[in-house]
Amino acid sequence: QLQASGGGLVQAGGSLRLSCAHSGRTFSSYVMGWFRQAPGKEREFVAAISRSGNSTYYEDSVKGRFTISRDNAKNTVYRQMYSLKSEDTAVYYCAGDPAPVYDFSYSKQATYGYWGQGTLVTVSS
């Protein structure tokens, strides 16, 4: 149901925009998040956005460099990345869920029941 795209090779300091498209008709009910997994590391939270798009959340290392947004009319969530660093190299996954538990946390992987296939971002120094 979730298809991520937009990854690729970019030089340090450059920018890139990732997209994640939802194939169903209920996208506006999904809380959405982005996670990443660098080589040899565990998957970690990057950013998340509320159903309406009015609230956004970021991992500390990407604040001010990454932005998350969504277009519910296009069933798509975006993540714009600026000032990329070599440590941003990772496979990026989008994730979503229409009905997370009442006390869910946007940054927890367990919140999300649906995951995209991942898209690789490589930042060259």
Side-chain angles (χ1 to χ4, degrees):
Q1 282 189 312
L2 297 174
Q3 181 75 33
S5 61
L9 176 64
V10 62
Q11 288 189 330
S15 61
L16 202 63
R17 188 175 82 158
L18 304 184
S19 301
C20 177
H22 178 263
S23 60
R25 291 191 237 176
T26 59
F27 178 69
S28 60
S29 69
Y30 278 64
V31 297
M32 296 296 298
W34 284 96
F35 292 77
R36 66 184 178 186
Q37 186 167 19
K41 296 187 177 180
E42 294 187 352
R43 191 159 57 184
E44 63 177 3
F45 169 73
V46 176
I49 190 166
S50 63
R51 293 178 174 93
S52 66
N54 289 337
S55 298
T56 56
Y57 309 86
Y58 298 94
E59 193 270 329
D60 286 345
S61 70
V62 305
K63 285 181 180 177
R65 299 191 300 120
F66 290 8
T67 61
I68 187 171
S69 61
R70 67 190 296 162
D71 186 336
N72 285 342
K74 295 183 178 180
N75 285 5
T76 302
V77 62
Y78 304 98
R79 195 161 54 74
Q80 181 70 52
M81 305 182 290
Y82 301 97
S83 302
L84 283 162
K85 306 175 181 179
S86 57
E87 52 262 44
D88 295 319
T89 294
V91 176
Y92 285 77
Y93 298 90
C94 63
D97 201 285
V101 296
Y102 176 72
D103 58 347
F104 75 93
S105 168
Y106 281 96
S107 65
K108 299 295 185 184
Q109 296 185 50
T111 292
Y112 304 93
Y114 298 90
W115 291 78
Q117 83 286 6
T119 183
L120 176 62
V121 173
T122 303
V123 183
S124 63
S125 57

